[in-house]
């Protein structure tokens, strides 16, 4: 069983980051399960006291000792910990539920207890609503926070088979003897009816980005600790972070990394990469390597169906003015999304691609075409090729989707970008039909850039790509038309 043990209590009152790291280390390294409620309450209390304080001026003007924290008294944590246990055990009579494995009714019951104890109406997207501290002190949780609280509640009741399942923009639970049962336990997005209690559809919704084509991160207890640490939000306001909270999050993510609990969690690796980019730690691998590890993890464990590992990496290259590399990362992100059908639940990733296509790439074009240099990306055919691959993936994402992706607002920056490349540069990009003799030759010479999206057949059912008869080239017709138009100008 999990629990708040004497060796953890002995570390109180907590006054610094090493003490918090030690409690996590005790909980993670012991044979018993780490106690999700205890750890969420502790980091939630620290985060809220350092980011929700009214006297903002104090935080910015007088930086305190790096690892000092507001004093956390044992009785304060104990009271909250007991309160959570009382709420859950008081509301769920487990005599009604056979053990040792959870049932859909049990999971739905715990979800109802959390759901019905939340404040009636509040701004759901606000920061700092992800922890059990927020639930116990403000009766407010965000979408992720509700799912996490349900898993923590099931742990309190002794159901060790209930685990968190995470996509890139949603969370649900898996449970049962073979962990193959799924259930919605929280809401998603704005104005959507929640589907709590239902299993995750295998139909068309399962093939939307929101459900990552049935390749979610299925957490162990230790990965659930990584999720609560990833969900720590150091932001004080739109422009400042509380640096002690960021430091605590970074230290805890390194602890989880060293214990091997981030291996199958690409977004947590990406979060650590972002923190390392801001404040690199002595003797640790560099942030760029972490972004590569996140990509490798997604390719190894999730059939390369996740987008964010590539946008973490692309964002890093962009911030460091490594534009050629950024184009490659974004083209790789686009190769992921092209396999999906765009659905109304996919707004978050739509906004991500919209920002890259209509803000970041146009900014790069502007700065690159102002200064003249032989080394300019406008002289590099692989940049042109990766841009076409990027745009082509978005076009193909739209194909066969009920909801359109592109509109005129996309076309202007797109045409403006492509026309920045001179004809002799464009001519060096050789678009080859998939599975052609040329392509086999090209692979040997490795001299050309080609587009061979041979689509994975998911579980034998035909994907939207199956319906697409093999065209002469694999580019979407509009990209093909654009490149044809360009080559006519040669
Ligand atoms: C390249 C980016 C735009 C930068 N931050 C990104 N994040 C993506 C989402 N983040 C996450 N980081 C760790 N775990 C999770 S689970 C989840 C879905 C939610 F509904 F549970 C989101 C998420 C962290 C921040 S993607």
């Amino acid at each position: 069983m999990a629990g708040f043990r004497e060796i953890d209590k002995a570390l109180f009152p907590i006054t610094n980051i090493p003490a918090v790291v030690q409690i996590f280390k005790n909980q993670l390294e012991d044979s018993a399960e780490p106690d999700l409620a205890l750890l969420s309450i502790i980091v939630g209390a620290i985060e809220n006291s350092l980011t929700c304080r009214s006297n903002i001026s104090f935080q910015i003007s007088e930086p305190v000792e790096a690892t000092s924290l507001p004093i956390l008294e044992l009785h304060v944590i104990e009271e909250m910990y007991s309160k959570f246990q009382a709420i859950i055990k008081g509301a769920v009579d487990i005599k009604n539920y056979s053990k040792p494995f959870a049932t859909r009714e049990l999971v739905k019951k715990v979800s109802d207890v959390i759901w019905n104890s939340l404040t009636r109406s509040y701004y759901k997207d606000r920061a700092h609503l992800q922890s059990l501290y927020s639930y116990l002190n403000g009766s407010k949780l965000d979408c992720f926070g509700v799912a996490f609280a349900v898993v923590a509640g099931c742990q309190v009741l002794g159901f060790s088979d209930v685990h968190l399942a995470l996509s890139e923009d949603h969370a649900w639970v898996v449970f049962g003897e073979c962990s193959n049962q799924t259930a919605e336990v929280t809401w998603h997005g704005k104005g959507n009816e929640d589907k709590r209690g239902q299993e995750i559809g295998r139909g068309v919704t399962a093939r939307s980005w929101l459900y990552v084509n049935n390749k979610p991160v299925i957490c162990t207890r230790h990965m659930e600790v990584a999720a609560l640490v990833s969900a720590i939000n150091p932001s004080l306001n739109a422009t400042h972070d509380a640096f002690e909270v960021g430091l605590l999050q970074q230290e805890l993510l390194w602890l989880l990394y060293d214990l091997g609990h981030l291996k199958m969690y690409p977004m947590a690796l990406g979060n650590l990469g972002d923190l390392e980019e801001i404040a690199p730690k002595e003797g640790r691998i560099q942030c760029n390597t972490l972004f590569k590890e996140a990509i490798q993890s997604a390719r190894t464990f999730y059939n390369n169906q996740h987008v964010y590992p590539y946008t973490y990496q692309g964002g890093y290259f962009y911030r460091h003015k490594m534009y050629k590399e950024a184009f490659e990362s974004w083209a790789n992100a686009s190769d992921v999304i092209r396999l999906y059908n765009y659905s109304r639940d996919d707004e978050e990733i739509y906004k991500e691609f919209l920002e890259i296509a209509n803000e970041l790439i146009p900014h790069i074009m502007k700065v690159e075409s102002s200064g003249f240099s032989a080394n300019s990306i406008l002289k590099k055919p692989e940049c042109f090729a990766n841009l076409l691959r990027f745009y082509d993936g978005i076009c193909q994402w739209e194909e066969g989707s009920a909801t359109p992706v592109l509109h005129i607002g996309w076309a202007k920056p797109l045409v403006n970008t492509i026309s920045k490349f001179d004809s002799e540069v464009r001519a060096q990009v050789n678009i080859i039909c998939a599975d052609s003799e040329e392509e086999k030759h090209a692979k040997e010479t490795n001299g050309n850039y080609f587009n061979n999206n041979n689509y994975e057949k998911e579980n034998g059912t035909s994907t939207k790509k199956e319906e697409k008869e093999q065209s002469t080239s694999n580019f979407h017709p509009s990209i093909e038309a654009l490149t044809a138009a360009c080559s006519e100008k040669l």
Side-chain angles (χ1 to χ4, degrees):
M1 273 310 284
F4 196 1
R5 300 150 318 169
E6 288 320 308
I7 56 159
D8 304 318
K9 295 183 180 179
L11 289 159
F12 282 82
I14 288 177
T15 60
N16 60 40
I17 289 175
V20 183
V21 174
Q22 190 55 51
I23 286 194
F24 272 75
K25 202 165 163 30
N26 292 348
Q27 286 283 323
L28 287 164
E29 290 190 333
D30 257 15
S31 54
E33 296 190 338
D35 191 309
L36 300 180
L38 173 67
L39 298 178
S40 179
I41 287 165
I42 290 172
V43 293
I46 293 169
E47 173 177 325
N48 277 269
S49 67
L50 282 170
T51 60
C52 305
R53 261 189 327 209
S54 50
N55 51 344
I56 291 286
S57 57
F58 166 71
Q59 266 129 19
I60 298 168
S61 56
E62 299 168 45
V64 288
E65 167 35 45
T67 62
S68 83
L69 297 169
I71 296 188
L72 267 192
E73 300 287 353
L74 175 57
H75 71 87
V76 171
I77 301 298
E78 272 180 325
E79 277 151 27
M80 284 190 276
Y81 183 68
S82 310
K83 181 177 174 185
F84 183 68
Q85 304 235 338
I87 292 170
I88 298 294
K89 288 180 174 171
V92 183
D93 178 355
I94 53 172
K95 282 199 296 301
N96 300 345
Y97 304 95
S98 64
K99 274 204 172 176
F101 299 112
T103 60
R104 184 169 303 280
E105 293 66 33
L106 181 273
V107 168
K108 179 61 166 56
K109 174 64 181 166
V110 176
S111 176
D112 286 344
V113 172
I114 301 293
W115 189 267
N116 295 326
S117 57
L118 296 176
T119 306
R120 272 289 138 260
S121 80
Y122 56 95
Y123 178 48
K124 306 286 189 299
D125 288 349
R126 227 184 62 198
H128 316 304
L129 300 183
Q130 77 287 54
S131 76
L132 290 189
Y133 179 91
S134 170
Y135 171 65
L136 294 163
N137 289 278
S139 305
K140 295 179 189 67
L141 284 171
D142 59 21
C143 156
F144 165 82
V146 169
F148 181 84
V150 170
V151 176
C154 292
Q155 183 182 40
V156 165
L157 297 170
F159 291 101
S160 57
D161 58 308
V162 181
H163 286 291
L164 198 54
L166 301 171
S167 75
E168 297 192 300
D169 188 39
H170 191 31
W172 59 95
V173 302
V174 298
F175 61 97
E177 187 163 3
C178 315
S179 300
N180 56 358
Q181 299 297 308
T182 62
E184 299 275 7
V185 292
T186 184
W187 78 88
H188 177 263
K190 286 187 170 45
N192 306 324
E193 196 56 31
D194 73 86
K195 303 184 224 170
R196 288 182 316 111
Q198 298 174 32
E199 67 174 342
I200 304 309
R202 266 188 294 279
V204 66
T205 52
R207 269 209 293 282
S208 70
W209 168 76
L210 188 70
Y211 290 96
V212 283
N213 214 358
N214 280 324
K215 295 287 178 190
V217 175
I218 306 291
C219 292
T220 61
R221 278 286 176 265
H222 297 81
M223 287 168 75
E224 279 141 14
V225 176
L228 81 88
V229 170
S230 272
I232 290 172
N233 184 342
S235 48
L236 257 178
N237 52 45
T239 50
H240 284 87
D241 277 4
F243 72 86
E244 311 93 319
V245 180
L247 213 53
L248 173 62
Q249 183 177 35
Q250 196 170 353
E251 294 288 342
L252 292 175
L253 284 173
W254 276 122
L255 170 66
L256 288 153
Y257 179 93
D258 294 338
L259 295 173
H261 302 312
L262 303 192
K263 277 194 176 15
M264 297 178 70
Y265 197 164
M267 287 185 287
L269 288 167
N271 288 336
L272 182 52
D274 277 351
L275 291 164
E276 278 296 303
E277 182 188 350
I278 295 164
K281 270 197 68 163
E282 275 293 296
R284 285 290 184 179
I285 52 173
Q286 56 168 323
C287 59
N288 188 14
T289 309
L290 287 162
F291 295 128
K292 284 182 191 157
E293 289 185 9
I295 288 167
Q296 198 46 51
S297 172
R299 288 176 177 172
T300 306
F301 301 109
Y302 305 107
N303 193 29
N304 199 31
Q305 302 283 289
H306 294 186
V307 176
Y308 282 151
Y310 297 107
T311 50
Y312 270 113
Q313 187 187 53
Y316 167 80
F317 285 139
Y318 175 78
R319 290 188 293 272
H320 290 256
K321 302 189 186 341
M322 299 162 77
Y323 298 138
K324 172 168 163 283
E325 294 78 1
F327 288 160
E328 183 169 2
S329 303
W330 291 334
N332 289 337
S334 187
D335 273 348
V336 173
I337 203 70
R338 70 170 71 237
L339 298 170
Y340 287 108
N341 282 339
Y342 179 55
S343 96
R344 52 191 293 281
D345 293 321
D346 295 344
E347 281 95 355
E348 281 310 306
I349 204 65
Y350 172 84
K351 287 188 293 191
E352 196 64 28
F353 279 107
L354 192 71
E355 186 195 16
I356 293 167
N358 297 353
E359 312 284 332
L360 306 187
I361 290 174
H363 169 75
I364 293 172
M365 287 301 138
K366 193 159 57 67
V367 301
E368 282 293 304
S369 48
S370 55
F372 177 81
S373 87
N375 196 25
S376 157
I377 55 161
L378 302 178
K379 298 253 169 292
K380 296 191 163 98
E382 61 269 42
C383 290
F384 184 59
N386 280 326
L387 275 172
L388 290 184
R389 188 157 62 97
F390 171 73
Y391 291 128
D392 183 62
I394 296 171
C395 294
Q396 225 149 334
W397 182 25
E398 176 173 69
E399 253 187 302
S401 301
T403 327
V405 174
L406 299 163
H407 53 66
I408 187 67
W410 289 76
K412 284 186 204 135
L414 192 160
V415 171
N416 189 285
T417 300
I418 288 187
S419 58
K420 283 278 190 327
F421 287 84
D422 292 344
S423 52
E424 69 274 6
V425 178
R426 301 198 308 265
Q428 294 171 56
V429 174
N430 193 348
I431 293 166
I432 296 167
C433 314
D435 301 331
S436 67
E437 280 317 303
E438 292 161 296
E439 182 189 322
K440 290 190 187 78
H441 171 65
K443 276 180 185 164
E444 282 130 37
T445 60
N446 200 14
N448 294 306
Y449 299 89
F450 54 86
N451 173 15
N452 70 331
N453 10 12
N454 300 311
Y455 307 109
E456 302 292 323
K457 281 187 189 151
E458 272 297 299
N459 340 309
T461 53
S462 76
T463 64
K464 72 171 178 178
K465 307 298 177 192
E466 290 298 299
E467 282 102 51
K468 178 177 151 45
E469 68 287 341
Q470 193 58 27
S471 71
T472 48
S473 115
N474 269 17
F475 275 128
H476 183 276
S478 40
I479 299 298
E480 213 177 303
L482 267 172
T483 39
C486 288
S487 51
E488 259 148 43
K489 272 200 244 161
L490 291 188

